[in-house]
Amino acid sequence: MRPVPLPVAYMPLVDAAPLIIAQEMGFAEAEGIALDLVAAPSWSSVRDMLAFGRVDAAHLLSPVPVAMAMGLGGVSTPVSAVSVLSVNGNVIGVGRALEQALRAQGFGFDFADARAAATALAAVAEGPIVFGVPFPFSMHVELLRYWVEHTALAGCGIDIRTVPPPLMAQALAEGDVDAFCVGEPWGSVAVEQGAGALLLPGRAIWAFAPEKVLAVRTDWAETEPHLLGRLMRAVWKAGRWLSHPESRTTTAEILSRPDWLGVPAEVIDRALSGRFIISGRAEQRQVAGFVGFHQGAASFPWRSQARWIGDRLALAQGLPRGSARDLGAAVFRSDLYRAHMAETDADLPGASEKLEGAIRHPTAIASQKGQLSLLQDAFFDGRIFDPSRID
């Protein structure tokens, strides 16, 4: 029986790995589907291809479905985030001018301390810092805004400019932006091209941020439940395979191919291993858990994470926070995840919401099989987000 073709849009990033690996390593075929992966030039293209029916599913920035439900961005097709494809995976970097200014004041580029990095950056800033980000509604923007609000950077501020990820290094080198927040491998590409240095991993701001989601049109999820289940299970199995250290070399080789990212495997491996070269001086830094695809219920669409996203978007747009939280929670479909993962050996959490930022070390929680532990999810400033309370 021939596999059913499913067109899926994606951006060329390391965190598209669950979709690419699902197709390349046979997890999709085992579910009776074939993923027709369509590379997009920008995140707006990914969103529009999904919203207007060019594809059935998409590798999508986690805030985009929430923003669409809130009527932001001009496209309001109902979209559901049925699983999380990746947590973390972003880097913050600076151009050569800021790098030199930071070094002149003795900053050590430890690639770990969000507060110290902000203090050092604020000390050398001569006005608002222009940050390149991949899309206005993205975890990149929300991490930056949260970081700025709660550090010395609040005094100088930032300006946001949209730059597609593959063009970020060029924008930095040409001075179009002073700094960036982008998904790998494009931060490391900027280092390789001598455009600047890496300042922080995104997880230094929020240790378990939902970065990309598997998104589908809500009406498609309702009319094609069997195809949706096959897709979700194939992607989940790929994420589990990716979590094994022995899979890393094969993953980097596959992603490096011209059909996918077209970047050297050694550069891609930095994100997968967490071993980074952060500057042209070949300074190396290790980041445990830089990007996650499976461990700690990484793929579960927590409604509390969606409420956090809705809350942050509402604050930025001056909209009612309570309704924004509710719209976000409705978009992250933990109900569909539970229904379609029942056929796998996934250990599902007993709840669909939790306090975000409260976990300081691996913690066992109530789950269907009693074997699930969640990983650290702390915010850098120690704050805790209670999804039931508006502060």
Side-chain angles (χ1 to χ4, degrees):
M1 190 172 181
R2 298 183 64 179
V4 178
L6 282 180
V8 182
Y10 78 101
M11 282 288 283
L13 290 154
V14 170
D15 56 31
L19 289 165
I20 295 170
I21 292 300
Q23 180 60 26
E24 289 279 2
M25 297 301 293
F27 297 111
E29 184 179 11
E31 290 289 340
I33 57 176
L35 304 186
D36 177 12
L37 295 171
V38 182
S42 66
W43 284 113
S44 59
S45 297
V46 175
R47 177 199 61 190
D48 293 350
M49 280 195 284
L50 178 63
F52 301 122
R54 166 67 177 81
V55 296
D56 293 329
H59 161 241
L60 201 58
L61 297 154
S62 59
V64 170
V66 180
M68 292 171 72
M70 293 172 63
L72 302 175
V75 179
S76 57
T77 303
V79 165
S80 293
V82 295
S83 68
V84 174
L85 288 175
S86 61
V87 296
N88 304 327
N90 294 326
V91 289
I92 294 172
V94 295
R96 292 296 302 277
L98 282 176
E99 178 190 359
Q100 292 167 3
L102 287 166
R103 293 193 186 279
Q105 69 165 12
F107 183 68
F109 285 85
D110 67 3
F111 204 51
D113 190 332
R115 196 175 297 279
T119 300
L121 198 54
V124 301
E126 298 179 353
I129 300 169
V130 180
F131 270 90
V133 299
F135 198 63
F137 307 117
S138 63
M139 191 55 67
H140 312 83
V141 171
E142 299 313 324
L143 290 176
L144 284 174
R145 285 177 175 163
Y146 190 88
W147 182 46
V148 168
E149 287 174 15
H150 302 298
T151 64
L153 281 169
C156 60
I158 60 172
D159 287 337
I160 298 293
R161 183 169 299 174
T162 300
V163 180
L167 302 181
M168 198 65 77
Q170 179 182 345
L172 193 67
E174 295 179 354
D176 295 334
V177 298
D178 303 317
F180 61 74
C181 183
V182 72
E184 280 292 281
W186 303 111
S188 289
V189 168
V191 172
E192 289 297 296
Q193 294 182 359
L198 302 184
L199 186 68
L200 285 174
R203 79 180 312 274
I205 298 170
W206 185 7
F208 209 77
E211 175 55 33
K212 304 299 189 307
V213 295
L214 177 62
V216 300
R217 287 184 307 283
T218 302
D219 61 356
W220 186 85
E222 294 169 352
T223 58
E224 300 288 352
H226 298 298
L227 283 179
L228 175 61
R230 293 181 190 183
L231 172 63
M232 291 173 65
R233 288 188 292 274
V235 170
W236 180 83
K237 291 173 184 176
R240 180 176 59 180
W241 184 87
L242 284 162
S243 71
H244 301 313
E246 59 269 23
S247 301
R248 208 180 72 221
T249 300
T250 300
T251 301
E253 188 277 323
I254 290 173
L255 296 183
S256 72
R257 297 172 186 170
D259 286 349
W260 303 123
L261 273 62
V263 171
E266 184 276 327
V267 175
I268 292 170
D269 186 66
R270 297 178 195 179
L272 299 173
S273 66
R275 291 195 295 269
F276 280 88
I277 296 174
I278 64 161
S279 74
R281 300 184 180 190
E283 297 164 300
Q284 297 188 26
R285 302 289 186 268
Q286 181 72 41
V287 184
F290 172 76
V291 62
F293 302 108
H294 182 73
Q295 301 294 348
S299 61
F300 187 77
W302 292 96
R303 293 186 185 271
S304 47
Q305 293 178 340
R307 288 186 186 277
W308 185 87
I309 293 169
D311 190 73
R312 297 296 302 175
L313 290 174
L315 283 169
Q317 301 290 328
L319 299 172
R321 295 168 65 189
S323 58
R325 290 183 180 207
D326 291 343
L327 287 168
V331 164
F332 271 42
R333 300 296 299 275
S334 53
D335 58 328
L336 292 179
Y337 187 94
R338 293 181 188 282
H340 293 298
M341 289 299 105
E343 296 183 26
T344 71
D345 57 1
D347 193 3
L348 303 175
S352 296
E353 298 196 15
K354 59 186 175 68
L355 295 175
E356 297 295 335
I359 301 174
R360 299 293 190 268
H361 50 77
T363 301
I365 64 165
S367 64
Q368 286 188 352
K369 299 180 180 178
Q371 300 175 347
L372 182 60
S373 289
L374 300 185
L375 304 181
Q376 181 190 11
D377 71 348
F379 293 97
F380 80 95
D381 57 357
R383 293 171 187 257
I384 294 174
F385 175 77
D386 184 341
S388 66
R389 175 180 174 182
I390 299 179
D391 296 326

